[in-house]
Amino acid sequence: MSRSAAVIGWGKSGQGAAGALLSRDWCVSAFAAGPAATLFFDEVADVCVHVEEDADALVRAVLEAHPDLVVVSPGIPAHHPVFEACAQAGIDLWGEVELAWRLQEEGPHAGRPWLTVTGTNGKTTTVGMLGEILRASGVKAEEVGNIGTPITRAIDSDAEVFAVELSSFQLHTAYTVRPLASICLNVDADHLDWHGSVEAYAADKARVYENTVRACVYPAADHMVEAMVENADVVEGARAIGLTLGAPTVSQFGIVEGLLVDRAFVDDRHRHAIALAHISDLAEAYGDHPSPAVLSDALAAAALARAYGVEPEAVEAGLRAFRPAGHRRAVVARAADLTWIDDSKATNAHAARASLAGLPPRSAIWIVGGDPKGQDFAELISQVEPTLRGVVVIGADRSVLVKELAAGAPDVPFVEVDGHEDWMFSVVNEAVALSRPGDTVVLAPACASWDQFDNYGQRGDVFADAVRRLAAQWGSAGGDE
């Protein structure tokens, strides 16, 4: 008898889940609240999508369908009434990640390792680095999950290993996943409207370590994440592997005289370490001064790859080959005697702080602003102030940032640029006026883009275009690095 599933949410995730279930002879119905979504994938075109006017009506419709399984998309928040309704009705409720794991383990790819990555910031960079390292070792690796490819659409591929980016939303409904190695890069307050509290958000991030088989990797200086590892229910024999930007101790990865080194997956780790790569291997992607956040991401990728078993040479080759995804600490150009970095993806204070960290004192021109999302910038400004030579404030409403800059960085000059025609070109010219040769201009807005752009990608594209026009004007070499 065919099993039946109700898929809630009809974006890429929901459609990927439906396609995977249909290919395994499940009977699938889909449910959404609000306007119906466009159908993108041929294999789910025949699924009946029930559009209900609100959450309560959606729950009633799901229960009336009497499904064996309910699959929720990551956009369905933890407080949605469908969670309690399914619990009371005795219906299994899974997220797409849980579904993907179970379907994989039921099929011909059972046992394929997952290397899982979560964190408030740095997930996509780490997964991208990890994928390059794995491929440099000759392994068929695929980057999946929150990075863009729904994992339910990848489980039937011939990949030998998955590098999996996991959001807190996805982890909330993942129960039996057994990653070979896992990491939480960092935790800062985010998505509180979805989780309800900082504690609930952190608890979902901590789920990345549950059932880990070989290595729980963590930033050694982050006591919150270290506690996650200590409290995780892992497979017997799984090791805790620390990351540090200094010299590593036993069972750690770290940096010694510019070298990324492994003192965890080596013979006699009590006495020896092995060099994996040099900081300069990241220069093509990040310039001569990769930030501490970038170095931490590189160490994390190296640790996960070494847990899988890659040779040291693959780490070096992978990091050399890596190029960051769009708008993530990417060097756009070197023009007007300055290095220009697009980190438009830095949409919160934590990400902006990471983007500026590690630059020499008084060497950064910071482009900041947008939709502040109710954030308080006082702590951020006090932390980055020693790095700043000048600030260009953008955004429809700049008042909050201007007030905080005046209070927290009174000696740092700043200018405001409003939204007149071709205003981003004015932004880059104002950055030049504030700078000195050798400085770094960083677009790390610490804000959402919705006040002036469709998304952070569009904001980064407009910035990059303005920088390239500036480069042509100055007769400097511009373009992608």
Side-chain angles (χ1 to χ4, degrees):
M1 183 177 178
S2 178
R3 294 172 291 179
S4 65
V7 174
I8 301 180
W10 201 239
K12 286 185 177 181
S13 170
Q15 294 181 36
L21 289 166
L22 286 169
S23 69
R24 289 159 174 80
D25 296 324
W26 283 66
C27 179
V28 179
S29 297
F31 298 82
T38 301
L39 305 186
F40 295 109
F41 307 134
D42 290 341
E43 65 264 37
V44 297
D46 293 332
V47 172
C48 181
V49 181
H50 304 268
V51 181
E52 306 298 336
E53 60 183 22
D54 56 38
D56 291 333
L58 183 148
V59 170
R60 288 194 297 271
V62 168
L63 294 180
E64 289 170 0
H66 302 291
D68 300 303
L69 171 67
V70 170
V71 180
V72 292
S73 300
I76 306 302
H79 54 76
H80 194 285
V82 73
F83 285 86
E84 182 179 355
C86 286
Q88 292 181 351
I91 301 171
D92 286 333
L93 184 150
W94 303 345
E96 59 166 337
V97 172
E98 179 69 13
L99 174 65
W101 176 261
R102 297 215 188 198
L103 294 181
Q104 173 185 289
E105 295 305 289
E106 290 176 359
H109 299 288
R112 173 172 45 202
W114 290 18
L115 305 173
T116 57
V117 179
T118 196
T120 302
N121 295 296
K123 298 184 293 297
T124 300
T125 298
T126 300
V127 168
M129 289 177 172
L130 175 58
E132 291 291 354
I133 293 169
L134 292 168
R135 285 187 287 273
S137 73
V139 175
K140 290 182 179 179
E142 191 166 351
E143 297 149 40
V144 298
N146 196 52
I147 199 168
T149 302
I151 194 167
T152 47
R153 290 184 58 80
I155 52 174
D156 294 322
S157 74
D158 63 353
E160 298 171 78
V161 57
F162 282 157
V164 188
E165 178 181 326
L166 294 175
S167 70
S168 56
F169 305 162
Q170 292 168 317
L171 285 164
H172 183 77
T173 50
Y175 313 117
T176 65
V177 177
R178 289 168 60 93
L180 181 73
S182 55
I183 184 170
C184 179
L185 298 165
N186 45 63
V187 176
D188 196 31
D190 205 2
H191 302 301
L192 301 189
D193 54 342
W194 197 98
H195 292 278
S197 69
V198 175
E199 293 76 17
Y201 172 66
D204 281 333
K205 287 293 189 188
R207 296 179 68 86
V208 75
Y209 292 118
E210 294 298 312
N211 306 313
T212 295
V213 174
R214 184 171 297 169
C216 295
V217 185
Y218 69 99
D222 192 322
H223 298 304
M224 176 184 290
V225 180
E226 183 179 29
M228 292 178 181
V229 174
E230 292 173 348
N231 296 324
D233 185 9
V234 301
V235 174
E236 185 176 356
R239 295 171 55 196
I241 306 298
L243 306 178
T244 176
L245 294 180
T249 60
V250 175
S251 291
Q252 287 189 340
F253 283 64
I255 299 177
V256 178
E257 297 181 351
L259 292 169
L260 280 65
V261 299
D262 171 2
R263 199 177 169 186
F265 298 107
V266 294
D267 295 333
D268 193 4
R269 60 183 179 270
H270 292 277
R271 299 177 59 187
H272 299 295
I274 189 168
L276 303 173
H278 194 276
I279 289 174
S280 62
D281 293 321
L282 294 164
E284 284 298 315
Y286 292 106
D288 296 330
H289 301 287
S291 71
V294 168
L295 296 177
S296 294
D297 293 345
L299 287 170
L304 293 171
R306 291 283 285 162
Y308 177 71
V310 308
E311 295 299 320
E313 295 78 11
V315 177
E316 178 182 22
L319 292 180
R320 281 181 177 272
F322 173 73
R323 294 295 180 271
H327 318 297
R328 291 169 171 85
R329 308 187 192 108
V331 177
V332 175
R334 293 181 176 88
D337 296 321
L338 304 170
T339 299
W340 299 80
I341 294 177
D342 170 13
D343 198 6
S344 184
K345 180 64 169 63
T347 58
N348 58 50
H350 184 277
R353 180 169 62 248
S355 194
L356 292 163
L359 292 174
R362 304 302 176 209
S363 69
I365 310 301
W366 183 24
I367 302 172
V368 61
D371 180 351
K373 301 184 292 185
Q375 295 179 93
D376 182 348
F377 297 104
E379 182 179 5
L380 168 64
I381 289 171
S382 69
Q383 290 170 332
V384 303
E385 188 274 340
T387 305
L388 302 177
R389 188 184 303 281
V391 181
V392 182
V393 185
I394 64 175
D397 182 0
R398 302 176 296 280
S399 59
V400 173
L401 276 163
V402 166
K403 179 181 178 182
E404 296 291 357
L405 283 166
D411 298 326
V412 177
F414 68 86
V415 295
E416 298 180 63
V417 177
D418 61 25
H420 61 267
E421 185 177 356
D422 203 18
W423 62 271
M424 189 63 85
F425 193 61
S426 296
V427 168
V428 300
N429 278 281
E430 292 287 1
V432 173
L434 289 167
S435 71
R436 294 181 185 176
D439 283 351
T440 301
V441 182
V442 184
L443 173 67
C447 297
S449 59
W450 305 311
D451 60 333
Q452 293 178 302
F453 299 94
D454 293 337
N455 50 58
Y456 72 81
Q458 185 188 57
R459 177 171 60 189
D461 288 341
V462 172
F463 170 72
D465 177 70
V467 172
R468 293 185 182 107
R469 289 160 55 200
L470 179 80
Q473 191 177 73
W474 280 68
S476 303
D480 293 331
E481 294 286 328

